[in-house]
Amino acid sequence: MTDVPSNIKRPIVLIVDDDRHTREGLQRALQRHYAVRLAEDANRALEQLADNEVDVLLSDLRMPGTDGLGLLRRAQAQHPATICILLTAYGSVETAVEAMKQGAYDFLTKPVNLDHLDLLIERALRSRNMEERNRDLQAQLDSKYGMESLIGDSPAMQRVFDTIRQAAPTAATVLIQGPSGTGKELVAQAIHRLSPRAKGPFVAVHCAALAPTLLESELFGHEKGAFTGAAARRKGRFELADGGTLLLDEISEIDTATQVKLLRVLEERRFERVGGNEPIEVDIRLIAATNRDLQARVAEGKFREDLFFRLNVVDIHLPPLAERTGDIPMLCDHFLRECAARNGKPVPGITPDAVNLLTAYPWPGNVRELRNTIEKMVVLGSGDKLTARDVPAAIREIGREHLPVARGAPVAGGLLADTEREAIFAALRQQKGNRSRAALDLGISRRTLHRKLNEYRTQGILPPAE
Ligand SMILES: Nc1ncnc2c1ncn2[C@@H]1O[C@H](COP(=O)(O)OP(=O)(O)OP(=O)(O)O)[C@@H](O)[C@H]1O
Ligand SMILES: [Mg+2]
């Protein structure tokens, strides 16, 4: 290792030993590459750890007072990023194992081989940097995949995804509007997951469920004795969401007094608990959701216009499912897998007829209703393929009435069939043609896979078997 130029921040090594000669000997050996600090016992070491960003803690095991293991435990708890290496003259394997169990990076016996120590520190620092880099990469990956729970390839949903991607990294308030069951809460969660606050809390409050007085204390908390029944001080959702995201669901339903208070919080970023006067500051990202037309509520005088503007910095509209029927086959496929997994069943196939019926039905309950329907079909369905007969009667009847004129011709089943075929081919490629393993990956029986492949042969998609 060459000398480190002085303008680069050198890693800090803290040497802890009750013997002055050992401390100074190690210091001489290490000071060429590191900024060295010294401590003669565990307490002084903890002070140094608190004051400096110590990269490596090099501590003797046997010391008067708190010993090396005790110091290691406290250092690990308070400064988890610090690398700990222990030294001892009494090199017993048991102590070494104990130290490693407690999170020590390594263990050296005295007299210390200085070349070995130098290499050890260098390696430890390198592996810590690598871990940090991996964490960063993982965070980037998470952000790429944070939206995987939201399904849809209709132009409307693609626009929603674009807005989520743009808004998530910012602190802007988002207003999500759409009828019940269109995925508003899911969108709010995706924004949180893709934001720099992802590691912080995600807190949702359903504003319509609470009476006005309760809502205020739910949001802002209360002091002990603030009202009858307030037996102890309680934190509100604003405080609980500190450092994270707060979703105010069904925002249209909050009463005028709470609207005023909310507006003030958004303007000043601070509030008081009910019955308290100590101002509390929190760092939250606010998302509001509603299944009502909030602008219409403003026009009716039921919702404050200034609050509406505060909330509506970024607006996301989720259209009813009936206005994006193109999403239905993909959603069916997604829910089939999800429900099968939850119910411990193999993933069933679904016939184009059944998908056509489901696509034609107008879904007043939107995606939630579709999901519940698929769940029912998976649980009740027999056989490994769901057909039009497995579609609940009411949906089948209404679906039939809405079917496009070219009845019987494949309408939307194509996409699902394509998805299925691609999944099968991908699994076979992955397993290098091994059908048993591919079937296992796909969650279907080997017999079903065999049948599918025969179907592809009769359809001319695959060449006939030799
Ligand atoms: N695009 C989507 N992809 C996958 N699942 C979805 C999608 N949209 C909705 N869902 C599912 O539908 C159900 C309802 O979604 P969510 O609770 O987000 O709706 P909502 O708009 O908040 O409804 P409400 O107004 O009734 O609160 C959930 O189970 C959710 O997982
Ligand atoms: Mg909701």
Side-chain angles (χ1 to χ4, degrees):
M1 193 171 173
T2 49
D3 277 323
V4 180
S6 57
N7 59 343
I8 292 182
K9 196 171 161 266
R10 302 199 298 172
I12 300 179
V13 177
L14 171 62
I15 299 169
V16 193
D17 199 308
D18 53 326
D19 176 55
R20 187 163 61 93
H21 294 292
T22 312
R23 281 199 305 272
E24 292 175 358
L26 290 169
Q27 178 179 30
R28 272 194 299 281
L30 295 176
Q31 64 192 5
R32 224 160 73 109
H33 302 140
Y34 305 105
V36 177
R37 308 268 187 277
L38 303 176
E40 62 200 57
D41 59 32
N43 285 339
R44 304 252 157 82
L46 287 165
E47 284 168 17
Q48 290 265 9
L49 282 168
D51 293 347
N52 297 294
E53 276 181 41
V54 174
D55 296 288
V56 180
L57 170 71
L58 195 60
S59 172
D60 193 14
L61 195 60
R62 282 271 195 118
M63 292 185 293
T66 306
D67 68 359
L69 275 183
L71 173 60
L72 168 72
R73 259 195 297 273
R74 293 175 61 180
Q76 292 277 303
Q78 291 164 22
H79 311 280
T82 300
I83 298 159
C84 302
I85 298 173
L86 290 173
L87 307 174
T88 184
Y90 313 88
S92 77
V93 177
E94 271 160 65
T95 337
V97 169
E98 186 54 32
M100 305 288 277
K101 259 196 218 151
Q102 308 247 349
Y105 178 79
D106 212 337
F107 184 84
L108 288 177
T109 45
K110 288 180 178 177
V112 176
N113 174 331
L114 295 176
D115 288 335
H116 187 170
L117 176 64
D118 214 2
L119 275 176
L120 186 64
I121 295 180
E122 198 188 328
R123 179 157 53 87
L125 287 168
R126 220 180 312 129
S127 86
R128 192 190 59 178
N129 289 344
M130 200 120 77
E131 265 174 34
E132 278 169 4
R133 232 193 347 264
N134 280 343
R135 255 200 307 277
D136 289 349
L137 281 176
Q138 192 56 49
Q140 283 175 26
L141 275 181
D142 288 349
S143 82
K144 205 162 151 204
Y145 296 113
M147 273 192 287
E148 66 205 342
S149 61
L150 271 174
I151 306 297
D153 58 356
S154 60
M157 284 309 284
Q158 293 303 324
R159 276 196 299 278
V160 169
F161 295 150
D162 286 343
T163 314
I164 293 176
R165 254 182 236 113
Q166 283 169 1
T170 73
T173 302
V174 182
L175 177 63
I176 308 170
Q177 302 191 68
S180 182
T182 47
K184 296 184 293 295
E185 182 141 5
L186 225 49
V187 167
Q189 286 165 353
I191 294 173
H192 173 71
R193 266 202 306 277
L194 292 175
S195 79
R197 304 167 168 272
K199 296 247 150 45
F202 175 87
V203 175
V205 189
H206 295 271
C207 300
L210 297 160
T213 46
L214 284 180
L215 177 62
E216 196 177 332
S217 105
E218 186 69 27
L219 291 178
F220 306 112
H222 60 244
E223 296 293 340
K224 183 176 172 178
F227 48 83
T228 333
R233 164 194 277 190
R234 182 156 174 258
K235 283 188 179 180
R237 302 295 179 99
F238 267 85
E239 273 178 88
L240 294 174
D242 196 13
T245 306
L246 178 64
L247 168 65
L248 296 183
D249 207 352
E250 298 170 84
I251 187 91
S252 60
E253 303 311 302
I254 66 174
D255 60 292
T256 350
T258 313
Q259 286 181 30
V260 175
K261 192 150 183 188
L262 190 57
L263 181 66
R264 218 199 91 209
V265 178
L266 289 182
E267 280 167 352
E268 298 173 10
R269 294 273 150 193
R270 58 155 86 185
F271 60 90
E272 293 94 38
R273 298 196 189 99
V274 176
N277 43 27
E278 173 203 350
I280 296 167
E281 281 184 38
V282 286
D283 168 34
I284 55 156
R285 199 263 180 90
L286 192 70
I287 300 180
T290 175
N291 53 24
R292 299 252 210 149
D293 181 346
L294 204 55
Q295 201 137 30
R297 300 280 288 173
V298 172
E300 290 165 19
K302 302 253 171 60
F303 200 84
R304 292 184 68 104
E305 185 169 39
D306 43 11
L307 180 56
F308 173 74
F309 286 127
R310 279 267 165 199
L311 296 173
N312 195 32
V313 180
V314 174
D315 68 320
I316 294 182
H317 281 266
L318 289 169
L321 186 56
E323 287 176 20
R324 43 182 167 109
T325 48
D327 288 341
I328 293 178
M330 230 177 146
L331 283 165
C332 286
D333 187 54
H334 173 69
F335 291 140
L336 279 174
R337 286 168 203 282
E338 189 194 88
C339 297
R342 210 184 19 258
N343 291 294
K345 291 192 151 201
V347 183
I350 185 166
T351 62
D353 265 6
V355 178
N356 286 345
L357 279 175
L358 295 173
T359 308
Y361 179 73
W363 300 111
N366 295 297
V367 186
R368 178 180 293 119
E369 189 186 2
L370 173 62
R371 182 171 183 256
N372 294 344
T373 303
I374 299 273
E375 171 112 48
K376 215 179 293 173
M377 289 169 65
V378 169
V379 172
L380 300 179
S382 52
D384 52 16
K385 199 157 201 167
L386 296 172
T387 67
R389 295 178 51 184
D390 294 304
V391 176
I395 289 173
R396 195 167 54 217
E397 294 308 309
I398 300 174
R400 280 226 174 89
E401 289 166 21
H402 288 79
L403 270 184
V405 199
R407 214 180 266 190
V411 180
L415 179 56
L416 197 68
D418 287 350
T419 314
E420 185 183 66
R421 202 169 53 234
E422 273 161 26
I424 287 177
F425 288 173
L428 282 167
R429 270 197 304 276
Q430 175 84 21
Q431 294 298 354
K432 304 197 168 43
N434 183 315
R435 290 190 193 172
S436 306
R437 282 207 301 266
L440 208 63
D441 284 357
L442 289 160
I444 59 178
S445 68
R446 200 175 174 283
R447 221 180 60 234
T448 307
L449 179 59
H450 192 70
R451 193 166 45 70
K452 291 269 168 209
L453 293 174
N454 277 339
E455 271 173 34
Y456 299 154
R457 284 199 185 93
T458 34
Q459 290 165 11
I461 297 167
L462 281 180
E466 284 89 305

